[in-house]
Amino acid sequence: MKFVVYREIIGTINLFLLAKSPLKLLIRLVYAMNKTPLQNEKKTALEQTQSHFATHSIARLIAFFTRRGARMLTGTRSLWIGCQPVPKQRIYYANHNSHIDFILLWSSLPTIMRRKTKPVAASDYWLKDGFRQFLIRDTFNGITIQRNRDDHTDPLQPVKDALEQGYSIIFFPEGTRNLNDDIELLPFKSGLYNLHKQFPDIEIVPVWISNLRRVMPKGAFIPLPLLSTVCFGCPLEQHLDMHKDIFIDYAQKQLLKLKEVENQ
C-alpha cells in the first residue's frame, strides 16, 4: 500500500512538472474529469482508490496556490472587528461582486475553520464543464444550488444538508453578482431569512469584501493587483419573530455598516 501511495505522489508531482504551462495542466485535468462512465466502470477498486488519491492531491495543491495567489494579487487583509476567528458553526454572508468573492473570504479563514466551511455557488456557472465542477466540489469543497428551476424543489436543500452536517457556509444573499457601480447592494433574496428561521442557533456573520469591482472587473480572467479588505462584523441578533422584510432590511444594514471600515 505504501508503494501505491508513493507512486501516486510521484505521479502528481510529474503531472505538474510535465505541464509546461497552466493551459496544458488544465487540459490534462479537464480530460481526466470528463472520462466516460464506461471507462470509470472498468476501473478496479485499487485503480479507483489511486485515482481518488491523485484527484484529492491535485485539488489540495490547486487550492493552496489559488488561495495564496488570490491573497497576494489582491493584498487582502482580514479584519475581525465584530467576532473572533474561532472554530464554531456560522453562516457567513457577504456582498457579491465577482467570482473570486468566496475565494477571498474562504482564504481569510484559518485552516481549521476553512476545512469546515463550504462556499455556496450557482450551478449554472460552476457546473458548465468538468473542470469547473472539479474546482467547486473537489478544490473548494463547495455547494452548488439552482437559481432558476422548473420544479418545486427547495433550492436551499443542499445548503440545509451541509448545515445539518455541522458545516459553516459562505452565502451571498443578493443571489447574483452586483455589476452596477452605482448600487452598493442588490436587494437580498429570502434565502438568508429562511436559513435563520430553520437554524436559529447558528451564528450569522456579515462580511464586507471591498474593492472587488476594481480587483476583478467584469470580463477579467486574472485579478488586478489592488488592495482588498475582508471585514467580519458582529453576528446578527436572533429575531425569529421578525417579519421577513424587516429581517432582510436589518441584515442589509448590518452588512453596509462594515463598508465604513475599508477606508480606516
Side-chain angles (χ1 to χ4, degrees):
M1 185 62 186
K2 287 184 178 180
F3 171 75
V4 173
V5 173
Y6 293 152
R7 188 176 68 179
E8 289 302 318
I9 294 174
I10 294 173
T12 302
I13 295 173
N14 285 338
L15 175 64
F16 280 84
L17 292 177
L18 292 174
K20 297 180 180 179
S21 71
L23 179 60
K24 286 186 177 181
L25 175 58
L26 296 183
I27 292 173
R28 288 171 182 264
L29 289 174
V30 171
Y31 172 78
M33 294 300 107
N34 285 287
K35 287 185 176 180
T36 65
L38 182 60
Q39 287 175 302
N40 290 328
E41 287 176 3
K42 290 181 179 179
K43 287 183 178 180
T44 64
L46 178 59
E47 288 173 335
Q48 290 178 356
T49 301
Q50 294 172 353
S51 176
H52 175 76
F53 180 84
T55 299
H56 180 70
S57 299
I58 294 171
R60 290 287 297 274
L61 196 57
I62 292 178
F64 172 80
F65 284 115
T66 301
R67 186 174 71 250
R68 293 298 179 89
R71 291 184 66 83
M72 180 179 69
L73 284 171
T74 61
T76 303
R77 58 174 182 155
S78 303
L79 301 178
W80 295 81
I81 63 171
C83 60
Q84 294 300 314
V86 294
K88 64 186 305 183
Q89 190 178 23
R90 287 169 172 162
I91 296 174
Y92 299 99
Y93 75 97
N95 54 311
H96 194 19
N97 296 315
S98 78
H99 290 305
I100 67 168
D101 290 338
F102 82 77
I103 297 177
L104 291 182
L105 199 164
W106 180 76
S107 302
S108 299
L109 301 174
T111 302
I112 190 172
M113 296 169 60
R114 192 167 57 244
R115 290 177 178 172
K116 288 290 292 182
T117 303
K118 291 178 175 286
V120 180
S123 59
D124 55 286
Y125 177 82
W126 287 99
L127 300 186
K128 278 186 176 180
D129 54 61
F131 182 66
R132 293 187 196 188
Q133 292 181 41
F134 172 76
L135 285 179
I136 191 63
R137 290 177 175 173
D138 295 272
T139 303
F140 300 117
N141 193 30
I143 309 166
T144 57
I145 59 174
Q146 290 186 342
R147 291 185 291 192
N148 302 311
R149 62 194 189 283
D150 298 326
D151 53 24
H152 298 288
T153 58
D154 183 0
L156 289 177
Q157 192 56 52
V159 179
K160 294 175 181 179
D161 292 342
L163 291 173
E164 288 174 350
Q165 293 167 13
Y167 286 96
S168 296
I169 63 166
I170 296 172
F171 193 73
F172 299 102
E174 293 169 278
T176 187
R177 289 176 297 153
N178 178 9
L179 303 178
N180 191 333
D181 292 335
D182 298 324
I183 300 176
E184 292 180 316
L185 277 179
L186 296 176
F188 281 11
K189 307 293 184 183
S190 60
L192 189 65
Y193 171 78
N194 294 332
L195 292 176
H196 173 58
K197 292 284 286 186
Q198 186 164 342
F199 300 92
D201 295 328
I202 297 179
E203 281 190 352
I204 301 179
V205 176
V207 183
W208 183 264
I209 308 173
S210 71
N211 269 348
L212 257 296
R213 287 195 187 94
R214 285 173 283 174
V215 170
M216 195 74 173
K218 184 179 180 181
F221 182 72
I222 299 175
L224 300 178
L226 298 171
L227 296 180
S228 181
T229 302
V230 179
C231 185
F232 297 81
C234 296
L236 300 186
E237 296 177 1
Q238 194 178 81
H239 291 291
L240 296 180
D241 57 343
M242 188 178 284
H243 186 271
K244 180 180 70 174
D245 294 338
I246 299 177
F247 176 84
I248 288 176
D249 181 67
Y250 163 64
Q252 288 178 321
K253 288 179 178 177
Q254 292 302 111
L255 181 56
L256 286 172
K257 282 183 180 179
L258 299 174
K259 186 179 184 299
E260 301 172 4
V261 178
E262 68 180 274
N263 296 320
Q264 296 180 3

